[in-house]
Amino acid sequence: MIFTAHVEILPHPDLLDPQGKAVLLGLSNLNITAIEDVRVGKHIVLNIEADSMQVADDLAKEACEKLLVNPIMERYSYEVTED
Amino acid sequence: MIFTAHVEILPHPDLLDPQGKAVLLGLSNLNITAIEDVRVGKHIVLNIEADSMQVADDLAKEACEKLLVNPIMERYSYEVTED
């Protein structure tokens, strides 16, 4: 079966996010001042071939922890759906 | 009122995604071969001060179209929630 995992990775709330600050400046240059804060992270879509939802979930978690996420600077969440 | 918009930006399905291919190679080096495809995009969180959900929604859309998204290479979706 094919599963899709959507992974959201964002900088830790306590850390400065320079990319978000750059976007905020860009918005203010466009006179969009109602947007008060921006944080920029990653959205990663994984297509997983697995026998069950549980196996797909474990694989997504392993990929996050071993490769995709830097736990010192980022936090993540993911959701697995069956195609 | 404060609203939060979560914007997901992904490379167009028809386009090659070199960052995704690099992640796929990294996963295969970790012997995670059940993940067959990876696409890497952006996840952007906007904090919006607005009088109504409709205004916040319009601001999020304007930010996407004027600054955040390159419509030639990317597609996007977003969701606005009230805090």
Side-chain angles (χ1 to χ4, degrees):
Chain A
M1 289 183 287
I2 302 287
F3 298 86
T4 302
H6 286 264
V7 183
E8 283 179 19
I9 304 172
L10 284 169
H12 260 302
D14 306 338
L15 292 180
L16 190 70
D17 172 18
Q19 208 180 345
K21 294 293 171 239
V23 170
L24 200 58
L25 185 64
L27 290 170
S28 119
N29 289 341
L30 292 169
N31 290 320
I32 303 175
T33 54
I35 296 178
E36 299 182 332
D37 195 30
V38 180
R39 295 190 78 78
V40 179
K42 279 177 281 189
H43 185 91
I44 301 177
V45 182
L46 308 171
N47 288 349
I48 306 172
E49 163 79 49
D51 291 336
S52 72
M53 177 70 94
Q54 185 58 49
V55 172
D57 198 279
D58 290 348
L59 278 163
K61 190 167 189 214
E62 189 183 359
C64 287
E65 295 187 350
K66 289 194 178 165
L67 185 69
L68 302 174
V69 180
N70 171 356
I72 302 186
M73 303 190 60
E74 299 167 328
R75 63 184 172 74
Y76 74 98
S77 64
Y78 65 90
E79 197 174 319
V80 180
T81 53
E82 191 176 341
D83 284 357
Chain B
M1 290 182 286
I2 303 285
F3 297 86
T4 302
H6 286 265
V7 183
E8 283 179 18
I9 304 172
L10 283 171
H12 260 302
D14 305 336
L15 292 180
L16 191 69
D17 173 16
Q19 209 179 346
K21 295 291 172 243
V23 169
L24 200 59
L25 185 65
L27 289 170
S28 119
N29 289 341
L30 291 169
N31 289 320
I32 303 174
T33 53
I35 296 179
E36 299 181 331
D37 195 28
V38 180
R39 296 191 78 80
V40 178
K42 281 178 279 191
H43 185 91
I44 301 178
V45 182
L46 308 171
N47 289 350
I48 306 173
E49 164 77 49
D51 292 335
S52 70
M53 176 70 95
Q54 184 58 50
V55 173
D57 198 278
D58 290 348
L59 279 163
K61 190 167 189 213
E62 190 183 358
C64 287
E65 294 186 352
K66 288 194 178 166
L67 186 70
L68 302 174
V69 179
N70 171 355
I72 302 186
M73 300 188 63
E74 297 166 330
R75 62 184 173 77
Y76 74 98
S77 63
Y78 64 90
E79 197 175 318
V80 180
T81 53
E82 190 176 345
D83 283 359

